[in-house]
Amino acid sequence: MRRQHLVETWLVLGVSLGASAIWSALSLIRKLTAEVSLSRQTTAMNSSVTPDRPWLDLAYQLVGIALALVPVLLALHLLSRDDGRARFAIGWDWTRPAQDLVRGLGLAALVGIPGLGLYAAARALDLNTTIAAANLTDVWWAVPVLVLAAAQNAILEEVVMIGYLFTRWSQAGWSTSGIIVSSALIRGSYHLYQGFGGFVGNAVMGLLFGWLYTRTKRVGPLVVAHTVLDVVAFVGYALLKDHLSWL
C-alpha cells in the first residue's frame, strides 16, 4: 500500500504541478543562459491569447481556468475512495466560512508584506525576473477573469500540495517534517520560472502553510490566503502598471 500511495502521488503531480515544476526549471535555465541578465528579463503572466478577438480570448481564459482545476477533482476523487468525506477530512468543506476567511486574511497579510520585500531584494540582486502579473487587453472582463485565475491557483495548489499530498504521504509512512519540507520544495520549484526569489519565497510560504495545516487540518484558510495574495498581485498590477514605473 505504501508503494501504491507514492506511485499515485507522483502520477497526480505528473499531470499537474509536478509537470509545471519541470517546465519551470527549463524556463529558468533558458533565462539564465540568455545574454540579458535575469533582473532585466520580464516574466509575463495572465496574458491574452487572441487580443484581437476578445470573446474568443475570454473563452480561452475560462477554459484554461476550468481545465487547471481537473487535478483538484482527481485528487479529491482518489481520496474519496478511502473516505467518502475526504474533503471534510482536509478542511475543504465550507463548514466554517467565517473562521476560514478571518484566518486566511490574517495569513495573507503575514505572507504578503514580507513577500514584497523579498521580491524587491531578489530583483536588486539579479536573482529574479521582473514579474508582469497581468497582461490581458483592456476588456470589461479582465478583472473578473484575474480574480478567477487567482482562485484557481489557490485551490489547485492548496488542495493538491497540502490536502492531498499530506494525506497520502502520511499514509505512506513519511514523517511530518519530511512531508512539510518536500511539499514546500515542490511548491518553490514550480515557481522557478520567476527566478530564485520566486523559488525561495514560495518555498518559505509552503513551509508555513504546511506547518499550519498539520495544526489545523484545514486547507480552507490557506485557499483564502492564497487567493487574496494572487488577487492583490494580479488585479493590483493590472490597475497600477500604467501609473507606477517600478512595477
Side-chain angles (χ1 to χ4, degrees), residues 32-64:
L32 289 173
T33 54
E35 295 182 359
V36 180
S37 64
L38 200 60
S39 61
R40 294 178 60 191
Q41 297 181 51
T42 299
T43 297
M45 302 169 62
N46 299 302
S47 299
S48 291
V49 180
T50 57
D52 58 325
R53 287 156 287 173
W55 289 102
L56 181 58
D57 196 25
L58 175 60
Y60 267 104
Q61 301 299 329
L62 294 178
V63 169

PDB file of all heavy atoms in Angstrom, residues 32-64:
ATOM      1  N   LEU A  32      18.591  31.980 -17.601  1.00  0.00           N
ATOM      2  CA  LEU A  32      19.951  32.132 -17.084  1.00  0.00           C
ATOM      3  C   LEU A  32      20.995  32.095 -18.191  1.00  0.00           C
ATOM      4  O   LEU A  32      22.081  32.678 -18.059  1.00  0.00           O
ATOM      5  CB  LEU A  32      20.253  31.031 -16.058  1.00  0.00           C
ATOM      6  CG  LEU A  32      19.536  31.132 -14.712  1.00  0.00           C
ATOM      7  CD1 LEU A  32      19.806  29.892 -13.872  1.00  0.00           C
ATOM      8  CD2 LEU A  32      19.987  32.388 -13.956  1.00  0.00           C
ATOM      9  N   THR A  33      20.686  31.386 -19.275  1.00  0.00           N
ATOM     10  CA  THR A  33      21.648  31.266 -20.377  1.00  0.00           C
ATOM     11  C   THR A  33      21.423  32.320 -21.453  1.00  0.00           C
ATOM     12  O   THR A  33      22.106  32.305 -22.485  1.00  0.00           O
ATOM     13  CB  THR A  33      21.572  29.861 -20.999  1.00  0.00           C
ATOM     14  OG1 THR A  33      20.211  29.575 -21.376  1.00  0.00           O
ATOM     15  CG2 THR A  33      22.037  28.801 -20.001  1.00  0.00           C
ATOM     16  N   ALA A  34      20.481  33.209 -21.244  1.00  0.00           N
ATOM     17  CA  ALA A  34      20.258  34.304 -22.188  1.00  0.00           C
ATOM     18  C   ALA A  34      21.329  35.367 -21.991  1.00  0.00           C
ATOM     19  O   ALA A  34      21.997  35.435 -20.953  1.00  0.00           O
ATOM     20  CB  ALA A  34      18.868  34.903 -21.988  1.00  0.00           C
ATOM     21  N   GLU A  35      21.506  36.206 -22.969  1.00  0.00           N
ATOM     22  CA  GLU A  35      22.526  37.249 -22.887  1.00  0.00           C
ATOM     23  C   GLU A  35      22.123  38.380 -21.948  1.00  0.00           C
ATOM     24  O   GLU A  35      22.974  39.114 -21.460  1.00  0.00           O
ATOM     25  CB  GLU A  35      22.802  37.809 -24.293  1.00  0.00           C
ATOM     26  CG  GLU A  35      23.406  36.779 -25.243  1.00  0.00           C
ATOM     27  CD  GLU A  35      23.720  37.370 -26.604  1.00  0.00           C
ATOM     28  OE1 GLU A  35      23.439  38.576 -26.807  1.00  0.00           O
ATOM     29  OE2 GLU A  35      24.246  36.639 -27.455  1.00  0.00           O
ATOM     30  N   VAL A  36      20.840  38.514 -21.698  1.00  0.00           N
ATOM     31  CA  VAL A  36      20.342  39.577 -20.811  1.00  0.00           C
ATOM     32  C   VAL A  36      20.313  39.059 -19.378  1.00  0.00           C
ATOM     33  O   VAL A  36      19.953  37.906 -19.125  1.00  0.00           O
ATOM     34  CB  VAL A  36      18.931  40.017 -21.251  1.00  0.00           C
ATOM     35  CG1 VAL A  36      18.401  41.128 -20.350  1.00  0.00           C
ATOM     36  CG2 VAL A  36      18.947  40.463 -22.701  1.00  0.00           C
ATOM     37  N   SER A  37      20.680  39.899 -18.414  1.00  0.00           N
ATOM     38  CA  SER A  37      20.679  39.489 -17.010  1.00  0.00           C
ATOM     39  C   SER A  37      19.269  39.166 -16.547  1.00  0.00           C
ATOM     40  O   SER A  37      18.281  39.645 -17.116  1.00  0.00           O
ATOM     41  CB  SER A  37      21.274  40.588 -16.125  1.00  0.00           C
ATOM     42  OG  SER A  37      20.477  41.761 -16.172  1.00  0.00           O
ATOM     43  N   LEU A  38      19.171  38.366 -15.505  1.00  0.00           N
ATOM     44  CA  LEU A  38      17.872  37.884 -15.043  1.00  0.00           C
ATOM     45  C   LEU A  38      16.947  39.031 -14.659  1.00  0.00           C
ATOM     46  O   LEU A  38      15.759  39.026 -15.014  1.00  0.00           O
ATOM     47  CB  LEU A  38      18.083  36.946 -13.843  1.00  0.00           C
ATOM     48  CG  LEU A  38      16.932  35.984 -13.505  1.00  0.00           C
ATOM     49  CD1 LEU A  38      16.638  35.069 -14.682  1.00  0.00           C
ATOM     50  CD2 LEU A  38      17.281  35.159 -12.269  1.00  0.00           C
ATOM     51  N   SER A  39      17.455  40.012 -13.950  1.00  0.00           N
ATOM     52  CA  SER A  39      16.612  41.104 -13.472  1.00  0.00           C
ATOM     53  C   SER A  39      16.100  41.998 -14.599  1.00  0.00           C
ATOM     54  O   SER A  39      15.136  42.747 -14.412  1.00  0.00           O
ATOM     55  CB  SER A  39      17.379  41.956 -12.451  1.00  0.00           C
ATOM     56  OG  SER A  39      18.527  42.527 -13.050  1.00  0.00           O
ATOM     57  N   ARG A  40      16.716  41.916 -15.768  1.00  0.00           N
ATOM     58  CA  ARG A  40      16.287  42.727 -16.907  1.00  0.00           C
ATOM     59  C   ARG A  40      15.317  41.974 -17.814  1.00  0.00           C
ATOM     60  O   ARG A  40      14.859  42.513 -18.818  1.00  0.00           O
ATOM     61  CB  ARG A  40      17.510  43.186 -17.709  1.00  0.00           C
ATOM     62  CG  ARG A  40      18.410  44.147 -16.955  1.00  0.00           C
ATOM     63  CD  ARG A  40      19.625  44.516 -17.783  1.00  0.00           C
ATOM     64  NE  ARG A  40      19.249  45.163 -19.044  1.00  0.00           N
ATOM     65  CZ  ARG A  40      20.111  45.381 -20.040  1.00  0.00           C
ATOM     66  NH1 ARG A  40      21.372  45.003 -19.929  1.00  0.00           N
ATOM     67  NH2 ARG A  40      19.706  45.979 -21.142  1.00  0.00           N
ATOM     68  N   GLN A  41      15.010  40.749 -17.434  1.00  0.00           N
ATOM     69  CA  GLN A  41      14.032  39.961 -18.190  1.00  0.00           C
ATOM     70  C   GLN A  41      12.667  40.062 -17.507  1.00  0.00           C
ATOM     71  O   GLN A  41      12.573  40.243 -16.293  1.00  0.00           O
ATOM     72  CB  GLN A  41      14.466  38.504 -18.274  1.00  0.00           C
ATOM     73  CG  GLN A  41      15.783  38.304 -19.014  1.00  0.00           C
ATOM     74  CD  GLN A  41      16.172  36.847 -19.110  1.00  0.00           C
ATOM     75  OE1 GLN A  41      15.366  36.008 -19.530  1.00  0.00           O
ATOM     76  NE2 GLN A  41      17.402  36.519 -18.730  1.00  0.00           N
ATOM     77  N   THR A  42      11.623  39.933 -18.295  1.00  0.00           N
ATOM     78  CA  THR A  42      10.267  40.045 -17.771  1.00  0.00           C
ATOM     79  C   THR A  42       9.528  38.722 -17.925  1.00  0.00           C
ATOM     80  O   THR A  42       9.583  38.095 -18.988  1.00  0.00           O
ATOM     81  CB  THR A  42       9.476  41.150 -18.502  1.00  0.00           C
ATOM     82  OG1 THR A  42      10.135  42.400 -18.294  1.00  0.00           O
ATOM     83  CG2 THR A  42       8.051  41.230 -17.985  1.00  0.00           C
ATOM     84  N   THR A  43       8.858  38.306 -16.859  1.00  0.00           N
ATOM     85  CA  THR A  43       8.009  37.120 -16.899  1.00  0.00           C
ATOM     86  C   THR A  43       6.566  37.580 -16.969  1.00  0.00           C
ATOM     87  O   THR A  43       6.059  38.197 -16.030  1.00  0.00           O
ATOM     88  CB  THR A  43       8.229  36.248 -15.652  1.00  0.00           C
ATOM     89  OG1 THR A  43       9.586  35.782 -15.637  1.00  0.00           O
ATOM     90  CG2 THR A  43       7.284  35.055 -15.666  1.00  0.00           C
ATOM     91  N   ALA A  44       5.917  37.306 -18.084  1.00  0.00           N
ATOM     92  CA  ALA A  44       4.530  37.732 -18.284  1.00  0.00           C
ATOM     93  C   ALA A  44       3.573  36.639 -17.839  1.00  0.00           C
ATOM     94  O   ALA A  44       3.728  35.476 -18.195  1.00  0.00           O
ATOM     95  CB  ALA A  44       4.291  38.074 -19.746  1.00  0.00           C
ATOM     96  N   MET A  45       2.591  37.014 -17.056  1.00  0.00           N
ATOM     97  CA  MET A  45       1.574  36.086 -16.568  1.00  0.00           C
ATOM     98  C   MET A  45       0.198  36.583 -16.987  1.00  0.00           C
ATOM     99  O   MET A  45       0.000  37.769 -17.229  1.00  0.00           O
ATOM    100  CB  MET A  45       1.654  35.973 -15.037  1.00  0.00           C
ATOM    101  CG  MET A  45       3.006  35.524 -14.516  1.00  0.00           C
ATOM    102  SD  MET A  45       3.171  35.700 -12.726  1.00  0.00           S
ATOM    103  CE  MET A  45       1.875  34.599 -12.153  1.00  0.00           C
ATOM    104  N   ASN A  46      -0.771  35.658 -17.033  1.00  0.00           N
ATOM    105  CA  ASN A  46      -2.155  36.014 -17.352  1.00  0.00           C
ATOM    106  C   ASN A  46      -2.232  36.871 -18.610  1.00  0.00           C
ATOM    107  O   ASN A  46      -2.748  37.987 -18.606  1.00  0.00           O
ATOM    108  CB  ASN A  46      -2.794  36.763 -16.169  1.00  0.00           C
ATOM    109  CG  ASN A  46      -2.828  35.916 -14.909  1.00  0.00           C
ATOM    110  OD1 ASN A  46      -3.401  34.840 -14.893  1.00  0.00           O
ATOM    111  ND2 ASN A  46      -2.191  36.400 -13.854  1.00  0.00           N
ATOM    112  N   SER A  47      -1.709  36.318 -19.689  1.00  0.00           N
ATOM    113  CA  SER A  47      -1.632  37.058 -20.952  1.00  0.00           C
ATOM    114  C   SER A  47      -2.799  36.704 -21.881  1.00  0.00           C
ATOM    115  O   SER A  47      -3.331  35.598 -21.833  1.00  0.00           O
ATOM    116  CB  SER A  47      -0.318  36.741 -21.658  1.00  0.00           C
ATOM    117  OG  SER A  47       0.789  37.126 -20.850  1.00  0.00           O
ATOM    118  N   SER A  48      -3.150  37.638 -22.726  1.00  0.00           N
ATOM    119  CA  SER A  48      -4.174  37.400 -23.735  1.00  0.00           C
ATOM    120  C   SER A  48      -3.662  36.405 -24.771  1.00  0.00           C
ATOM    121  O   SER A  48      -2.475  36.391 -25.104  1.00  0.00           O
ATOM    122  CB  SER A  48      -4.553  38.703 -24.435  1.00  0.00           C
ATOM    123  OG  SER A  48      -5.241  39.560 -23.547  1.00  0.00           O
ATOM    124  N   VAL A  49      -4.555  35.566 -25.272  1.00  0.00           N
ATOM    125  CA  VAL A  49      -4.214  34.589 -26.305  1.00  0.00           C
ATOM    126  C   VAL A  49      -4.579  35.126 -27.686  1.00  0.00           C
ATOM    127  O   VAL A  49      -3.805  35.028 -28.631  1.00  0.00           O
ATOM    128  CB  VAL A  49      -4.929  33.246 -26.041  1.00  0.00           C
ATOM    129  CG1 VAL A  49      -4.574  32.232 -27.129  1.00  0.00           C
ATOM    130  CG2 VAL A  49      -4.566  32.709 -24.664  1.00  0.00           C
ATOM    131  N   THR A  50      -5.767  35.705 -27.780  1.00  0.00           N
ATOM    132  CA  THR A  50      -6.217  36.311 -29.048  1.00  0.00           C
ATOM    133  C   THR A  50      -6.697  37.733 -28.753  1.00  0.00           C
ATOM    134  O   THR A  50      -7.901  37.999 -28.711  1.00  0.00           O
ATOM    135  CB  THR A  50      -7.371  35.491 -29.673  1.00  0.00           C
ATOM    136  OG1 THR A  50      -8.443  35.390 -28.721  1.00  0.00           O
ATOM    137  CG2 THR A  50      -6.903  34.101 -30.044  1.00  0.00           C
ATOM    138  N   PRO A  51      -5.771  38.659 -28.535  1.00  0.00           N
ATOM    139  CA  PRO A  51      -6.163  40.022 -28.141  1.00  0.00           C
ATOM    140  C   PRO A  51      -7.039  40.740 -29.155  1.00  0.00           C
ATOM    141  O   PRO A  51      -7.776  41.650 -28.795  1.00  0.00           O
ATOM    142  CB  PRO A  51      -4.811  40.733 -27.976  1.00  0.00           C
ATOM    143  CG  PRO A  51      -3.844  39.912 -28.759  1.00  0.00           C
ATOM    144  CD  PRO A  51      -4.320  38.509 -28.663  1.00  0.00           C
ATOM    145  N   ASP A  52      -6.967  40.329 -30.419  1.00  0.00           N
ATOM    146  CA  ASP A  52      -7.780  40.976 -31.451  1.00  0.00           C
ATOM    147  C   ASP A  52      -9.204  40.440 -31.496  1.00  0.00           C
ATOM    148  O   ASP A  52     -10.061  40.991 -32.202  1.00  0.00           O
ATOM    149  CB  ASP A  52      -7.118  40.801 -32.821  1.00  0.00           C
ATOM    150  CG  ASP A  52      -6.918  39.336 -33.175  1.00  0.00           C
ATOM    151  OD1 ASP A  52      -6.640  38.542 -32.259  1.00  0.00           O
ATOM    152  OD2 ASP A  52      -7.031  38.991 -34.370  1.00  0.00           O
ATOM    153  N   ARG A  53      -9.476  39.327 -30.768  1.00  0.00           N
ATOM    154  CA  ARG A  53     -10.812  38.734 -30.707  1.00  0.00           C
ATOM    155  C   ARG A  53     -11.176  38.510 -29.241  1.00  0.00           C
ATOM    156  O   ARG A  53     -11.006  37.400 -28.714  1.00  0.00           O
ATOM    157  CB  ARG A  53     -10.843  37.423 -31.490  1.00  0.00           C
ATOM    158  CG  ARG A  53     -10.811  37.610 -33.003  1.00  0.00           C
ATOM    159  CD  ARG A  53     -10.278  36.399 -33.715  1.00  0.00           C
ATOM    160  NE  ARG A  53      -8.831  36.271 -33.531  1.00  0.00           N
ATOM    161  CZ  ARG A  53      -8.119  35.216 -33.935  1.00  0.00           C
ATOM    162  NH1 ARG A  53      -8.729  34.202 -34.517  1.00  0.00           N
ATOM    163  NH2 ARG A  53      -6.823  35.174 -33.733  1.00  0.00           N
ATOM    164  N   PRO A  54     -11.671  39.545 -28.564  1.00  0.00           N
ATOM    165  CA  PRO A  54     -11.875  39.491 -27.110  1.00  0.00           C
ATOM    166  C   PRO A  54     -12.757  38.346 -26.627  1.00  0.00           C
ATOM    167  O   PRO A  54     -12.474  37.749 -25.579  1.00  0.00           O
ATOM    168  CB  PRO A  54     -12.518  40.848 -26.798  1.00  0.00           C
ATOM    169  CG  PRO A  54     -12.070  41.739 -27.905  1.00  0.00           C
ATOM    170  CD  PRO A  54     -12.016  40.868 -29.116  1.00  0.00           C
ATOM    171  N   TRP A  55     -13.814  38.028 -27.344  1.00  0.00           N
ATOM    172  CA  TRP A  55     -14.707  36.972 -26.855  1.00  0.00           C
ATOM    173  C   TRP A  55     -14.065  35.600 -26.971  1.00  0.00           C
ATOM    174  O   TRP A  55     -14.261  34.735 -26.107  1.00  0.00           O
ATOM    175  CB  TRP A  55     -16.045  37.015 -27.607  1.00  0.00           C
ATOM    176  CG  TRP A  55     -16.846  38.215 -27.216  1.00  0.00           C
ATOM    177  CD1 TRP A  55     -16.998  39.374 -27.920  1.00  0.00           C
ATOM    178  CD2 TRP A  55     -17.541  38.401 -25.986  1.00  0.00           C
ATOM    179  NE1 TRP A  55     -17.758  40.272 -27.223  1.00  0.00           N
ATOM    180  CE2 TRP A  55     -18.118  39.697 -26.016  1.00  0.00           C
ATOM    181  CE3 TRP A  55     -17.747  37.611 -24.863  1.00  0.00           C
ATOM    182  CZ2 TRP A  55     -18.881  40.213 -24.978  1.00  0.00           C
ATOM    183  CZ3 TRP A  55     -18.514  38.119 -23.819  1.00  0.00           C
ATOM    184  CH2 TRP A  55     -19.058  39.397 -23.883  1.00  0.00           C
ATOM    185  N   LEU A  56     -13.265  35.392 -28.006  1.00  0.00           N
ATOM    186  CA  LEU A  56     -12.520  34.141 -28.113  1.00  0.00           C
ATOM    187  C   LEU A  56     -11.443  34.084 -27.036  1.00  0.00           C
ATOM    188  O   LEU A  56     -11.194  33.028 -26.447  1.00  0.00           O
ATOM    189  CB  LEU A  56     -11.886  34.018 -29.501  1.00  0.00           C
ATOM    190  CG  LEU A  56     -11.085  32.729 -29.765  1.00  0.00           C
ATOM    191  CD1 LEU A  56     -11.951  31.496 -29.578  1.00  0.00           C
ATOM    192  CD2 LEU A  56     -10.476  32.769 -31.169  1.00  0.00           C
ATOM    193  N   ASP A  57     -10.841  35.240 -26.761  1.00  0.00           N
ATOM    194  CA  ASP A  57      -9.840  35.312 -25.704  1.00  0.00           C
ATOM    195  C   ASP A  57     -10.462  34.965 -24.351  1.00  0.00           C
ATOM    196  O   ASP A  57      -9.872  34.239 -23.547  1.00  0.00           O
ATOM    197  CB  ASP A  57      -9.233  36.719 -25.653  1.00  0.00           C
ATOM    198  CG  ASP A  57      -7.941  36.761 -24.848  1.00  0.00           C
ATOM    199  OD1 ASP A  57      -7.269  35.718 -24.741  1.00  0.00           O
ATOM    200  OD2 ASP A  57      -7.618  37.840 -24.322  1.00  0.00           O
ATOM    201  N   LEU A  58     -11.683  35.455 -24.106  1.00  0.00           N
ATOM    202  CA  LEU A  58     -12.390  35.124 -22.867  1.00  0.00           C
ATOM    203  C   LEU A  58     -12.619  33.620 -22.771  1.00  0.00           C
ATOM    204  O   LEU A  58     -12.448  33.023 -21.697  1.00  0.00           O
ATOM    205  CB  LEU A  58     -13.726  35.875 -22.810  1.00  0.00           C
ATOM    206  CG  LEU A  58     -14.643  35.536 -21.628  1.00  0.00           C
ATOM    207  CD1 LEU A  58     -13.954  35.842 -20.298  1.00  0.00           C
ATOM    208  CD2 LEU A  58     -15.959  36.290 -21.745  1.00  0.00           C
ATOM    209  N   ALA A  59     -12.996  33.009 -23.890  1.00  0.00           N
ATOM    210  CA  ALA A  59     -13.206  31.559 -23.890  1.00  0.00           C
ATOM    211  C   ALA A  59     -11.915  30.828 -23.547  1.00  0.00           C
ATOM    212  O   ALA A  59     -11.915  29.873 -22.753  1.00  0.00           O
ATOM    213  CB  ALA A  59     -13.726  31.106 -25.257  1.00  0.00           C
ATOM    214  N   TYR A  60     -10.810  31.260 -24.135  1.00  0.00           N
ATOM    215  CA  TYR A  60      -9.511  30.661 -23.813  1.00  0.00           C
ATOM    216  C   TYR A  60      -9.213  30.764 -22.322  1.00  0.00           C
ATOM    217  O   TYR A  60      -8.766  29.798 -21.692  1.00  0.00           O
ATOM    218  CB  TYR A  60      -8.403  31.359 -24.606  1.00  0.00           C
ATOM    219  CG  TYR A  60      -8.050  30.726 -25.931  1.00  0.00           C
ATOM    220  CD1 TYR A  60      -8.476  31.302 -27.131  1.00  0.00           C
ATOM    221  CD2 TYR A  60      -7.280  29.574 -25.993  1.00  0.00           C
ATOM    222  CE1 TYR A  60      -8.149  30.738 -28.355  1.00  0.00           C
ATOM    223  CE2 TYR A  60      -6.939  29.005 -27.208  1.00  0.00           C
ATOM    224  CZ  TYR A  60      -7.379  29.585 -28.383  1.00  0.00           C
ATOM    225  OH  TYR A  60      -7.051  29.023 -29.591  1.00  0.00           O
ATOM    226  N   GLN A  61      -9.426  31.951 -21.762  1.00  0.00           N
ATOM    227  CA  GLN A  61      -9.108  32.170 -20.346  1.00  0.00           C
ATOM    228  C   GLN A  61      -9.963  31.280 -19.444  1.00  0.00           C
ATOM    229  O   GLN A  61      -9.455  30.643 -18.517  1.00  0.00           O
ATOM    230  CB  GLN A  61      -9.326  33.648 -19.977  1.00  0.00           C
ATOM    231  CG  GLN A  61      -8.512  34.642 -20.778  1.00  0.00           C
ATOM    232  CD  GLN A  61      -7.013  34.487 -20.647  1.00  0.00           C
ATOM    233  OE1 GLN A  61      -6.511  34.063 -19.618  1.00  0.00           O
ATOM    234  NE2 GLN A  61      -6.287  34.835 -21.706  1.00  0.00           N
ATOM    235  N   LEU A  62     -11.255  31.222 -19.710  1.00  0.00           N
ATOM    236  CA  LEU A  62     -12.161  30.444 -18.859  1.00  0.00           C
ATOM    237  C   LEU A  62     -11.909  28.946 -18.990  1.00  0.00           C
ATOM    238  O   LEU A  62     -11.935  28.213 -17.983  1.00  0.00           O
ATOM    239  CB  LEU A  62     -13.611  30.764 -19.210  1.00  0.00           C
ATOM    240  CG  LEU A  62     -14.061  32.203 -18.907  1.00  0.00           C
ATOM    241  CD1 LEU A  62     -15.507  32.407 -19.353  1.00  0.00           C
ATOM    242  CD2 LEU A  62     -13.904  32.525 -17.428  1.00  0.00           C
ATOM    243  N   VAL A  63     -11.656  28.485 -20.209  1.00  0.00           N
ATOM    244  CA  VAL A  63     -11.357  27.060 -20.395  1.00  0.00           C
ATOM    245  C   VAL A  63     -10.045  26.703 -19.701  1.00  0.00           C
ATOM    246  O   VAL A  63      -9.934  25.645 -19.069  1.00  0.00           O
ATOM    247  CB  VAL A  63     -11.297  26.714 -21.898  1.00  0.00           C
ATOM    248  CG1 VAL A  63     -10.719  25.303 -22.112  1.00  0.00           C
ATOM    249  CG2 VAL A  63     -12.686  26.797 -22.510  1.00  0.00           C
ATOM    250  N   GLY A  64      -9.060  27.569 -19.802  1.00  0.00           N
ATOM    251  CA  GLY A  64      -7.783  27.316 -19.131  1.00  0.00           C
ATOM    252  C   GLY A  64      -7.943  27.200 -17.624  1.00  0.00           C
ATOM    253  O   GLY A  64      -7.348  26.320 -16.978  1.00  0.00           O
TER     254      GLY A  64
END
